Amino acid sequence: MRLPPGLSPLRHRDFALYWVGQCVSQIGTFIEMTATTYLLYAITNSPLLLGLGGLVRGVPILALALFGGALADRIDRKRLLLFTQCSQVVTSLILGTLVATGSIQFWQIYVIGFVNSTLSAFDAPARNSFYPQLIPRADFQNAVTLSSVIFRLSTLLGPAIAGILIATVGAASPFFVNAASYFAIIVALIAIRTKFEAATGPRVSLRSSAWAGIRYAMRTPVLPLIFATETALSIFGHNAALITIFARDVLHVGPAGLGLLLSAIGAGAIVGTVVLVAIGEVRPKGAVLIVAGALYAAALLGFAVSTSFALSMAVLFVLGIADTGWGAMRNTIAQLATTDAYRGRVMSMITVTSRGLTNAAQIETGGIVAAAGPAVGAAINAVAVGISVATVALRS
């Protein structure tokens, strides 16, 4: 059967295995993330402590992701991924058991979050630099788009499933479901046949290797601009803490409503991804990146001023579409601009900005909401995203 151009990477057996395994695992991850955010806010009843949870998760990624990227460029990425995925099964089981026995406390959520983020600092660079080894270079953009489907599908299904599980089964169930979901990627990794050739040449320390990756990225004409847009989105864009606060304090909905709001972003992202898959190769990548970034800022501003649950879902749906185009173009440009010898380190820099700063910025969300209120805080962030997009557009 002839596949559409956008699905061409799925013709490669190992990529298809990896894609399916990641899809199941990432849905489980977003189930747990939604449950963790809801649980932490329910326990603390404090926007600032909720934001502090994000900071705790962000610090290990900010501190260690560059070393994770250097390690991913040095050792077998497949073995590294097997270790991190198996370890996260254990942390999910521990957290689920604490909730099920009624002994959970907010500081324990911080500790588990810190451990998971430490693992993610090594897992994310390996994961993002692994799949290009499974396909030819001609399929890079379509592979990036399909990989973004994993994230988008996860943000669509994960929060909704989490809300249903919390409301019907109990607050502990999402953590056990996530633990089970990791086995999909573990089995896929074991079944993959592609061999990874470790880097050759003189061995240097991980610190020297990480600095070499930074120097390489800063010398390229395009990667600094990609990092700038990633940083702006991570600090001022939407995050789980912001949506959770709006769900309870502005829109006055419970866990099921929170799940629907987060899933609206995922639904929009799926639509945007389907469009990208149907189009296949996009030529004016920079132009699409700028337009999508501007649309994202406008949608976030619309969410800030909305007090209607239906309108908020509609605006978040548009935000999801914009986020897909913005993210797919950023990642595609970064992959194409990077040689495989530095891919793990460059992807680790993306991880620092996209995941480390996103989590750490939740303390900014909690602080600005505590000081100015949810609507004003979200509006300020939307304006900041718009200014950053305009700046990148003018500079490039």
Side-chain angles (χ1 to χ4, degrees):
M1 182 178 67
R2 185 176 179 84
L3 294 174
L7 299 179
S8 58
L10 294 177
R11 293 177 299 185
H12 305 283
R13 172 190 177 275
D14 284 355
F15 180 86
L17 283 171
Y18 186 68
W19 188 86
V20 172
Q22 283 282 12
C23 194
V24 175
S25 176
Q26 286 296 300
I27 290 173
T29 297
F30 273 87
I31 291 174
E32 179 169 309
M33 287 174 59
T34 303
T36 300
T37 305
Y38 173 80
L39 185 65
L40 184 57
Y41 199 37
I43 292 173
T44 63
N45 199 37
S46 167
L48 194 58
L49 290 178
L50 177 62
L52 182 60
L55 179 61
V56 169
R57 292 191 301 272
V59 166
I61 296 177
L62 292 172
L64 298 173
L66 288 175
F67 297 103
L71 190 64
D73 282 336
R74 177 176 296 188
I75 68 172
D76 188 333
R77 292 165 183 164
K78 177 177 171 179
R79 291 186 179 182
L80 179 57
L81 287 170
L82 283 171
F83 171 78
T84 56
Q85 298 296 308
C86 290
S87 299
Q88 289 178 9
V89 172
V90 177
T91 59
S92 293
L93 290 175
I94 291 173
L95 195 52
T97 301
L98 288 171
V99 177
T101 57
S103 56
I104 188 69
Q105 299 182 45
F106 76 92
W107 65 266
Q108 294 168 329
I109 297 176
Y110 289 168
V111 171
I112 295 294
F114 184 88
V115 173
N116 279 335
S117 289
T118 300
L119 292 168
S120 293
F122 295 90
D123 176 87
R127 179 159 27 90
N128 291 331
S129 58
F130 183 65
Y131 73 81
Q133 296 179 283
L134 308 178
I135 53 168
R137 186 176 177 84
D139 284 330
F140 268 22
Q141 181 186 307
N142 292 327
V144 169
T145 302
L146 284 174
S147 294
S148 73
V149 170
I150 297 173
F151 178 79
R152 310 308 173 186
L153 191 62
S154 302
T155 59
L156 170 64
L157 298 178
I161 294 172
I164 293 171
L165 286 172
I166 294 171
T168 60
V169 182
S173 58
F175 304 103
F176 294 119
V177 170
N178 184 40
S181 73
Y182 282 113
F183 287 97
I185 185 58
I186 291 170
V187 171
L189 286 168
I190 293 172
I192 285 174
R193 299 169 184 164
T194 300
K195 300 297 182 181
F196 172 72
E197 295 183 3
T200 58
R203 287 279 178 162
V204 296
S205 68
L206 287 180
R207 177 182 297 180
S208 297
S209 181
W211 277 113
I214 294 174
R215 289 193 297 269
Y216 167 83
M218 293 301 103
R219 286 197 302 264
T220 65
V222 68
L223 287 176
L225 293 175
I226 296 299
F227 296 142
T229 56
E230 285 281 359
T231 299
L233 176 64
S234 298
I235 295 177
F236 302 111
H238 75 283
N239 56 51
L242 181 68
I243 306 300
T244 300
I245 292 168
F246 264 81
R248 199 189 76 170
D249 299 342
V250 177
L251 303 175
H252 307 293
V253 295
L258 169 62
L260 289 174
L261 287 171
L262 292 170
S263 293
I265 302 174
I270 290 294
V271 171
T273 303
V274 168
V275 171
L276 288 175
V277 169
I279 294 173
E281 177 74 12
V282 175
R283 297 297 180 185
K285 295 178 178 64
V288 172
L289 184 147
I290 297 300
V291 171
L295 179 61
Y296 178 96
L300 184 58
L301 184 61
F303 178 71
V305 301
S306 172
T307 57
S308 163
F309 181 71
L311 178 59
S312 295
M313 285 193 63
V315 173
L316 289 178
F317 177 82
V318 175
L319 184 146
I321 294 176
D323 193 29
T324 296
W326 200 10
M329 293 306 105
R330 291 195 311 270
N331 287 324
T332 300
I333 293 169
Q335 290 281 10
L336 290 173
T338 307
T339 63
D340 193 62
Y342 288 93
R343 197 176 306 281
R345 280 163 284 184
V346 171
M347 291 303 104
S348 74
M349 295 173 69
I350 298 266
T351 299
V352 166
T353 52
S354 65
R355 297 190 56 176
L357 285 179
T358 297
N359 284 318
Q362 290 188 29
I363 191 67
E364 181 265 346
T365 298
I368 198 169
V369 167
V376 174
I380 291 172
N381 284 358
V383 172
V385 171
I387 291 173
S388 66
V389 172
T391 301
V392 171
L394 292 173
R395 288 181 62 86
S396 58

